[in-house]
DNA sequence: ACCCAATCGGGTAATTTGGGCG
DNA sequence: CTTGTCCAAATTACCCGATTGG
């Protein structure tokens, strides 16, 4: 039996994230490129986003920023 | 004499790998055919993947590529 | 031997990527 | 500076019937 890890990092596709934010998928890509959103890459280069992080962002939770 | 392996060689099914990457199981098959992912074959021809390798790939660890 | 979900194959739509432009 | 759109190329998703796994 395998135990579920503490961090269930379910992934979202670009279009799914885009729909949640009511934005074009390309915009989500820009956020990832800008480091505003962390992304996992498929072996083909497509991005998958952490659902937990997206939910936090949608809820208005500010992302951990490098010290100013 | 020991036949000890250097690492845990637990195997994952195509659908398990697909879930981890949030892709279709067929896509995982293409990765294997493309040599991006090493696969073990069952006697019936079904593929099984190395958990350790999959975890490395998910973490962004580039695969050791055959010499060009 | 039976059941049924999963994984073969192939083929064809739908997404995604990246760059550049407005 | 951020977002939306156009384009071509690459990657991925869904369709089928047949075989395999447990």
């Amino acid at each position: 039996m395998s135990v579920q890890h503490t961090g269930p990092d379910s992934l979202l596709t670009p279009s799914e994230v885009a729909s949640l934010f009511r934005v074009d998928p390309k915009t989500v890509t820009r956020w990832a490129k800008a480091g505003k959103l962390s992304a996992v890459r498929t072996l083909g280069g497509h991005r998958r986003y952490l659902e937990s992080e997206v939910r936090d962002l949608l809820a208005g939770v500010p992302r951990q920023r490098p010290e100013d």
Side-chain angles (χ1 to χ4, degrees), chain A residues 13-62:
Chain A
T13 65
S15 59
E16 286 173 338
V17 178
S19 298
L20 290 173
F21 278 98
R22 292 297 225 126
V23 178
D24 194 271
K26 188 105 181 196
T27 299
V28 179
T29 298
R30 291 197 179 101
W31 293 344
K33 233 180 293 195
K36 297 179 178 178
L37 193 55
S38 49
V40 176
R41 295 283 205 142
T42 68
L43 299 193
H46 285 201
R47 284 175 253 260
R48 295 284 116 100
Y49 303 93
L50 298 176
E51 181 190 26
S52 54
E53 186 178 6
V54 171
R55 269 197 291 97
D56 285 349
L57 264 356
L58 278 172
V61 178

